[in-house]
Amino acid sequence: MAPPRWLRWLLGGLLLLAVGTALFYRDRVDPAAVEAWIQGTGGLAPLLFLTLYTIGAVLFLPGSVLTLAGGALFGPVLGTIVNLAGATIGATLAFLIARYLASDWAAEHTGGRLERLKQGVESEGWRFVAFTRLVPIFPYNLLNYALGLTRIPLLSYVIATLVCMAPGAVAYTYLGYVGREAATGAEDLIRKGLLGLALLALAAFLPRLVARLRQRSMLEVDEIHQRLEAGDDLLVVDVRTPEEFTGPLGHIPGAVNLPVDELPRRLDELSGATDRPVALLCKADRRSAKAADLLARNGFSDVHMVRGGMTAWNEADLPIERVSSSAATEGKGQ
């Protein structure tokens, strides 16, 4: 159940106050005194620093500075473990705070290109998280909250964050261990190494994201029906199995049946439709999302998904057919 509006406003206000206070006093804190205090706690020092790192991530304190401090305090091995744990826990906490306070608001108020961007990010899921963690130009603190506004699964977010922040954590922890003064050249080398890793991630990921962004937002079944009734040049592609196509739910009159598992090797059957509006549907909308990704990556410029698929179509009591799939697939790509 969604939290009451007043509670979200109250918690959001308290969070902003805490962030503002942390940023205001950030330059007034003596790092040497803090390090001496942590070292004075003995065996509790790693746990104390992990807690401070987690809180710092939530309050927008710079993660690179904290990571350097962890290396200086605990060395390259323990420092990396503590830093990576603190960064991951802090990132997860910020993610959950954003999801609790504002994800519903974001879902209701995003539209147009921003909505398409959000859908593209959500469709990529852990891949987008991995990409942004590997690319050093994305601000760590802001990204934690921004991703919480999406529907990316928590477990995927946590695992991708942990794994893909590890290279940077190892590098900056070691830099903190050897000392900034003794490693001014090493910092530049580390940045160049991470940038190279980021470019590899960019080359692998960017085509997928571009393909996602080329997709259009979902269409409702009523709109599909109206466009077909009006004679719109809309190609309806049903990506269910032939058995489902002719089964109890039936199919939309005039729909083309191309099962999603067969779609990669049957794309030539749609070669004449790359510039036509294409509506994809399945039983709900899961398989149609996979098909939309494939079509967008193969040059189809106007791809849509039908929200709720044939389930929603039947619930709306719209016309259906249950003829053989071979008859319905005549004229594919025309």
Side-chain angles (χ1 to χ4, degrees):
M1 185 174 64
R5 185 181 295 270
W6 67 267
L7 179 58
R8 284 189 286 184
W9 279 104
L10 175 61
L11 294 176
L14 292 174
L15 176 63
L16 289 176
L17 179 62
V19 170
T21 302
L23 294 177
F24 180 78
Y25 285 103
R26 182 177 63 182
D27 296 331
R28 304 186 182 190
V29 176
D30 182 2
V34 174
E35 289 184 12
W37 172 61
I38 292 175
Q39 287 177 328
T41 61
L44 293 177
L47 181 59
L48 178 60
F49 183 81
L50 187 151
T51 303
L52 291 177
Y53 201 128
T54 299
I55 296 173
V58 173
L59 299 183
F60 281 80
L61 297 182
S64 58
V65 174
L66 292 169
T67 305
L68 289 168
L73 282 168
F74 306 112
V77 179
L78 180 59
T80 297
I81 295 172
V82 174
N83 282 333
L84 190 55
T88 303
I89 296 172
T92 302
L93 186 57
F95 177 91
L96 291 173
I97 290 172
R99 176 157 292 184
Y100 179 77
L101 295 181
S103 61
D104 292 340
W105 179 89
E108 294 172 3
H109 292 83
T110 53
R113 292 186 177 182
L114 186 59
E115 172 63 15
R116 289 173 61 189
L117 175 61
K118 182 171 176 287
Q119 289 180 354
V121 169
E122 291 170 346
S123 298
E124 288 300 321
W126 69 267
R127 298 180 187 87
F128 184 83
V129 180
F131 169 66
T132 52
R133 296 305 186 191
L134 287 170
V135 178
I137 62 172
F138 291 97
Y140 161 76
N141 303 97
L142 184 61
L143 189 65
N144 299 334
Y145 283 97
L147 291 173
L149 301 179
T150 69
R151 294 182 296 178
I152 292 176
L154 175 61
L155 183 60
S156 299
Y157 170 82
V158 173
I159 294 175
T161 294
L162 175 66
V163 172
C164 295
M165 286 199 306
V170 171
Y172 277 92
T173 300
Y174 183 78
L175 185 61
Y177 167 66
V178 299
R180 293 183 64 86
E181 293 79 7
T184 53
E187 182 172 11
D188 184 59
L189 183 61
I190 287 172
R191 288 185 182 275
K192 289 180 179 179
L194 291 176
L195 182 59
L197 185 62
L199 290 175
L200 290 176
L202 181 65
F205 176 81
L206 193 57
R208 294 180 59 90
L209 183 59
V210 170
R212 291 291 186 184
L213 296 181
R214 292 179 66 182
Q215 295 177 24
R216 303 296 293 272
S217 58
M218 286 189 175
L219 297 179
E220 304 296 334
V221 292
D222 289 336
E223 181 178 353
I224 296 292
H225 180 245
Q226 291 170 8
R227 290 177 64 170
L228 292 175
E229 287 289 300
D232 194 333
D233 186 31
L234 178 67
L235 176 61
V236 179
V237 179
D238 193 318
V239 299
R240 296 175 298 160
T241 65
E243 292 76 18
E244 291 176 288
F245 190 76
T246 58
L249 290 179
H251 58 264
I252 297 175
V256 173
N257 182 215
L258 286 176
V260 66
D261 292 337
E262 301 177 11
L263 192 55
R265 63 177 183 271
R266 296 178 61 183
L267 279 175
D268 59 321
E269 298 179 33
L270 298 175
S271 59
T274 53
D275 295 324
R276 288 176 62 183
V278 178
L280 298 163
L281 80 159
C282 53
K283 183 177 181 181
D285 48 44
R286 210 169 207 178
R287 284 172 285 179
S288 61
K290 182 178 178 181
D293 178 36
L294 177 65
L295 291 186
R297 285 190 279 114
N298 282 273
F300 288 78
S301 59
D302 196 5
V303 180
H304 305 259
M305 291 179 289
V306 181
R307 190 185 303 277
M310 281 307 299
T311 300
W313 187 274
N314 276 263
E315 290 174 350
D317 198 26
L318 296 172
I320 62 172
E321 287 182 351
R322 293 189 178 89
V323 299
S324 67
S325 59
S326 59
T329 52
E330 292 179 1
K332 291 173 185 174
Q334 297 177 359

